[in-house]
Amino acid sequence: MFASPLRYRWLRELRALWPWAAGLLLVALGSQFALTSPRTSVNLEAIGPLKALPGQAITVTGLATGKALVNYSTGRGSGLDLRFDQARLAPETRELLQRLGIASPDGDAPASWITRAEPRAGDEIMSRFEVMSVDTGNPPGTLLLRVLAGATPRQVRLELSAQGAPLEVTLSMPWTGDVHAPHKILRLGETELVLPGTLPIKLHVPAEAIWRAVINLPDTPQPTLVANLEFGSFSGREGGGLAVSALGLDGIPGSAPFLACGATSGRQLWRAAWRLAKGDCPAKAGTIQVRSLEMRSDGAVLVVGGHAWVLKDGEALGEDILARLRRQP
């Protein structure tokens, strides 16, 4: 006669305690997430160079102002051709051509800058292009570089475009004193201008317009056949390169996506964890140094530095709090 009341009282006490038990369970799960999900920033140099296959796009966001964005110079025996979907002569270039008595069109049009082919022409020496913002105080929001496969083992190709602001592309060749040295043909729409190598040309490329660089590497045997693009200033020095806030490498079949959001050394990723998983970088999260892009006919190698929160193969890299506690109890 006493078992039934005791049993019901025990059940009533258990029912009164279950909210506390559920709360403790949620606290335990939250603690586990807090200790294992947030990650610290990663030193990008420890990851090593990033490989981009033909067809993959490299995106850099949050570009620093007042610097060269990308620059490239060919070596002896190399060739460089550029083709723009839309471009126009910069005002200072049009004025210079007018003073030389060279009529030039105004307005945006398809454009190309290619080597003039003629018999007994010498090697092209240090043909060069440099990419900057038209307004250094208002750089593009994003610079996109798509690696393309070369038509031959001695050719590399790259596609570039900018979002949010136009680009200024400076083109030039040195004067060698050789009357048979190659000249460049600048085509603007239906107009063709044959220019001496010493005359620098500046083109303004509208935002979103695509342009392509085709680089032919020397025929002479070399250990490696590469074209090395540099970013920013003093790219070869420690700390050099182009400062950006985010870097992405699109995934294609057979490769993995990569995303890096700039952060200071040892920075903990907390509220931005879900944004990183979705590929959304926090604004003003720090800087990444993009230094060079070593291009081959079958792909490219991107060299970067700095610290960042990194997402690779769908997983966030970097130590969690438990790993840091085990390493430094």
Side-chain angles (χ1 to χ4, degrees):
M1 63 182 295
F2 298 103
S4 179
L6 289 175
R7 182 178 59 188
Y8 288 122
R9 187 175 67 178
W10 176 80
L11 289 174
R12 287 197 299 270
E13 291 177 353
L14 181 63
R15 187 172 60 182
L17 291 174
W18 80 262
W20 292 96
L24 289 175
L25 178 61
L26 291 177
V27 169
L29 293 175
S31 300
Q32 176 71 11
F33 173 81
L35 291 173
T36 59
S37 293
R39 303 283 171 164
T40 54
S41 61
V42 176
N43 186 345
L44 293 174
E45 293 182 356
I47 295 177
L50 305 172
K51 295 183 179 179
L53 300 175
Q56 280 190 297
I58 301 166
T59 57
V60 291
T61 307
L63 285 66
T65 60
K67 289 185 176 181
L69 304 181
V70 187
N71 59 84
Y72 173 73
S73 298
T74 67
R76 180 182 292 272
S78 299
L80 172 65
D81 293 342
L82 302 177
R83 301 178 186 275
F84 304 83
D85 285 355
Q86 293 289 316
R88 67 165 61 196
L89 290 173
E92 58 268 37
T93 298
R94 289 195 71 244
E95 181 179 354
L96 175 61
L97 293 178
Q98 288 175 356
R99 291 182 179 182
L100 295 175
I102 301 175
S104 57
D106 190 15
D108 294 332
S112 59
W113 193 68
I114 59 177
T115 306
R116 180 178 186 178
E118 62 180 34
R120 297 180 300 165
D123 289 339
E124 185 172 312
I125 302 173
M126 289 191 67
S127 181
R128 176 178 174 81
F129 71 81
E130 182 178 50
V131 183
M132 298 187 69
S133 302
V134 172
D135 179 3
T136 56
N138 180 34
T142 299
L143 183 65
L144 184 145
L145 305 96
R146 187 178 301 278
V147 177
L148 304 175
T152 70
R154 296 184 180 275
Q155 184 186 89
V156 299
R157 297 191 301 151
L158 184 69
E159 186 177 275
L160 301 93
S161 64
Q163 298 177 1
L167 295 175
E168 180 179 271
V169 183
T170 302
L171 317 170
S172 62
M173 286 179 65
W175 172 246
T176 63
D178 182 2
V179 295
H180 296 294
H183 286 62
K184 283 292 187 180
I185 297 176
L186 177 65
R187 290 195 180 101
L188 293 168
E190 301 299 323
T191 303
E192 182 176 293
L193 306 174
V194 180
L195 304 170
T198 53
L199 188 65
I201 299 296
K202 289 184 179 180
L203 296 177
H204 286 181
V205 183
E208 318 297 336
I210 295 174
W211 57 286
R212 301 162 190 84
V214 179
I215 302 171
N216 294 301
L217 301 172
D219 291 332
T220 56
Q222 293 184 358
T224 56
L225 292 173
V226 297
N228 192 46
L229 278 72
E230 293 190 342
F231 293 77
S233 303
F234 306 108
S235 299
R237 301 183 184 180
E238 184 178 356
L242 176 64
V244 302
S245 64
L247 167 71
L249 180 61
D250 292 344
I252 60 173
S255 67
F258 178 91
L259 175 68
C261 299
T264 55
S265 176
R267 181 81 177 271
Q268 197 76 30
L269 179 63
W270 287 96
R271 290 187 302 173
W274 291 108
R275 295 176 62 182
L276 178 62
K278 294 187 296 183
D280 182 14
C281 286
K284 299 180 181 178
T287 56
I288 299 168
Q289 286 77 45
V290 184
R291 293 177 179 159
S292 64
L293 183 65
E294 190 177 80
M295 297 181 55
R296 299 179 174 88
S297 61
D298 58 350
V301 175
L302 183 68
V303 178
V304 296
H307 291 80
W309 296 312
V310 175
L311 186 72
K312 185 177 181 181
D313 297 338
E315 297 183 2
L317 303 184
E319 293 182 323
D320 56 37
I321 296 179
L322 286 177
R324 299 181 72 185
L325 289 174
R326 286 192 293 267
R327 184 168 52 86
Q328 296 179 333

